Amino acid sequence: MKVAYVQMEPAFLNPERNYSKAEKLVGEAVEKSAKLVVLPELFDTGYNFESRKEVEEVAGEIPDGPTTEFLVELAREKEVFIVAGTAEKDGKGNLYNSAVIVGPTGWGYIGKYRKVHLFNREKLFFRPGNLGFHVFNIGIAKVGVMICFDWFFPESARTLALKGAEIIAHPSNLVMPYAPRAMPIRALENRVYTVTANRVGEERGLKFIGKSTIASPLADVLAMGSENKEEVAVVEIDLSLARDKRINERNDIFKDRRPQYYVI
Ligand code: ACM
């Protein structure tokens, strides 16, 4: 199957503009036969908020808000699965840095993930995720979702892989330079594919690094984006590689775990 990332520069605080950008770029990925497309973290709103009020004005409920409705419609129209980061308000005054997964006709809204590990000033606006790490079985693959800084905690990808993820969809707004180097190792140590969809551009002096990355269970970089352009990459992946955790005759990296020695 083919998976894709959409690397884009969200227009800050302008969801309508971002819906059009996403529609165009997801369209490009689908033209190249992508079945699963990953968009960046907070693709609908941008990232570098100044105040809680600013987030509240653009955040929406999931699934009953405009961004989820837009994504459901886009996935239906393009016949594709989409994972995308979005600002969520829960109707009780709480804000989350979330991601939504939606699918083609017959699927619609599938589920959401709320970012567990908040980065830096995100802590001023968002509550830490309270839904845990979840794997969504979309028929053609089992997809785990984590968001940006979650990568820094190997437990995130490990938990998803132990729960059966074959692909980790990783909407991101990376500002530090490390993740494009680290994600192939997350993929290797869990024997999964990873799709990091990062953003580009600058907001209020904060620069995002681009370099969206698709990595294989063998730590190969199958695609890497530029540092500053909006672009799409579509890559063929072989899920049998992610389903088989054996690396030789005697080592199965999951069966060989010794969790009794991992307690502190
Ligand atoms: C990040 O988690 N957006 C750096």
Side-chain angles (χ1 to χ4, degrees), residues 92-132:
K92 294 183 220 139
N94 301 311
L95 299 168
Y96 296 95
N97 183 340
S98 296
V100 172
I101 178 164
V102 296
T105 312
W107 288 86
Y109 170 73
I110 297 170
K112 68 182 164 188
Y113 164 70
R114 291 171 169 165
K115 187 177 186 177
V116 165
H117 303 99
L118 296 175
F119 180 70
N120 204 344
R121 296 184 75 251
E122 290 169 33
K123 294 188 178 189
L124 304 178
F125 318 119
F126 296 111
R127 289 179 81 93
N130 54 4
L131 303 176

Side-chain angles (χ1 to χ4, degrees), residues 41-42 47 97 115 117-120 122 147-151 170-176 198 208:
E41 176 182 12
L42 297 170
Y47 180 83
N97 183 340
K115 187 177 186 177
H117 303 99
L118 296 175
F119 180 70
N120 204 344
E122 290 169 33
I147 299 177
C148 204
F149 190 49
D150 284 329
W151 78 265
H170 183 213
S172 295
N173 276 191
L174 298 162
V175 292
M176 295 188 293
N198 195 29
F208 302 91

Side-chain angles (χ1 to χ4, degrees), residues 13-14 24 63 117 170 172 179 194 198 202 207 216 249 263:
L13 305 176
N14 191 344
K24 176 177 163 289
H117 303 99
H170 183 213
S172 295
T194 60
N198 195 29
E202 197 171 318
K207 191 165 170 10
S216 83
E249 224 178 291
V263 287

Side-chain angles (χ1 to χ4, degrees), residues 6-36:
V6 160
Q7 174 166 294
M8 63 180 264
E9 177 171 4
F12 193 42
L13 305 176
N14 191 344
E16 287 299 328
R17 174 90 189 87
N18 294 322
Y19 298 161
S20 330
K21 276 181 185 245
E23 187 169 355
K24 176 177 163 289
L25 292 162
V26 169
E28 281 178 32
V30 170
E31 268 169 37
K32 294 179 184 157
S33 304
K35 296 287 178 263
L36 170 69

